[in-house]
Amino acid sequence: MMVALPGASASLVLFLAAFLPPLQHAQDPAMVHYIYQRFQVLEQGLEKCAQTTRAYIQDFQEFSKNLSTMLGRCQTHTNEYRSAVDNLALRVERAQREIDYLQYLRESDFCVESEEKTSAEKVLQEAEEEKKIRTLLNTRMIVTSRSSHLYLRLEW
């Protein structure tokens, strides 16, 4: 069955007719309806998958943004902690130097004190010896009544 189209060439119509299936091989409308429904289900599933993918992408972008913010804060805190540790290290080093200096002063004071103590003991010994010598010299001049008293003092 050929239909004439105004202004169309007969060869074009024959060409198109060659590709049309014969009427006895036409598809069943129920089969076409089933295939159409299956395509709709597939399209709905594909749309649902696309929505889920978009939601995951949005969640990932928010996560990435939050993570970047947190990393920025961590970097700030890291720099603050590094600065605090450096300051603490300087304070510890300064305290160690002060302790070393105080130990040096203590040792030098101990040496000075030892020398002063030794000098003081020598002066005391010399004074005692001088006192003994004076006592001995004065003993000859003292009267005999006092000699017993002096004798006790010399033993002492």
Side-chain angles (χ1 to χ4, degrees):
M1 166 184 195
M2 268 183 79
V3 179
L5 296 174
S9 71
S11 63
L12 181 63
V13 172
L14 286 174
F15 178 73
L16 290 175
F19 287 107
L20 291 175
L23 290 177
Q24 70 245 35
H25 292 92
Q27 293 180 351
D28 184 20
M31 181 61 101
V32 172
H33 180 68
Y34 172 77
I35 292 172
Y36 177 74
Q37 284 180 340
R38 291 298 296 161
F39 275 124
Q40 281 183 335
V41 169
L42 290 173
E43 286 176 351
Q44 288 172 355
L46 187 59
E47 181 60 31
K48 192 174 186 180
C49 182
Q51 287 175 352
T52 304
T53 303
R54 283 190 293 266
Y56 283 139
I57 289 171
Q58 186 177 3
D59 289 346
F60 182 74
Q61 287 172 343
E62 289 176 19
F63 174 75
S64 177
K65 183 180 175 183
N66 291 337
L67 189 61
S68 295
T69 304
M70 288 181 200
L71 285 174
R73 279 191 235 137
C74 285
Q75 183 65 33
T76 302
H77 291 303
T78 300
N79 291 337
E80 289 173 2
Y81 291 139
R82 183 174 288 129
S83 175
V85 168
D86 289 342
N87 288 338
L88 183 60
L90 287 174
R91 289 173 59 195
V92 166
E93 185 178 322
R94 207 174 302 138
Q96 184 63 42
R97 283 194 307 250
E98 288 178 11
I99 289 170
D100 292 343
Y101 177 70
L102 291 174
Q103 284 178 344
Y104 169 76
L105 288 179
R106 183 174 168 224
E107 289 172 1
S108 65
D109 285 347
F110 179 74
C111 291
V112 169
E113 288 175 7
S114 297
E115 288 177 14
E116 288 176 358
K117 188 176 179 182
T118 306
S119 297
E121 288 175 357
K122 283 182 180 179
V123 169
L124 285 175
Q125 286 175 355
E126 289 174 1
E128 286 179 13
E129 288 177 12
E130 189 177 322
K131 189 176 181 182
K132 286 181 182 179
I133 292 172
R134 283 186 191 167
T135 306
L136 288 174
L137 291 175
N138 286 335
T139 307
R140 292 181 184 167
M141 298 177 181
I142 297 177
V143 275
T144 50
S145 64
R146 292 190 132 208
S147 73
S148 64
H149 181 63
L150 182 61
Y151 181 74
L152 290 175
R153 198 189 278 182
L154 284 176
E155 287 184 16
W156 195 192

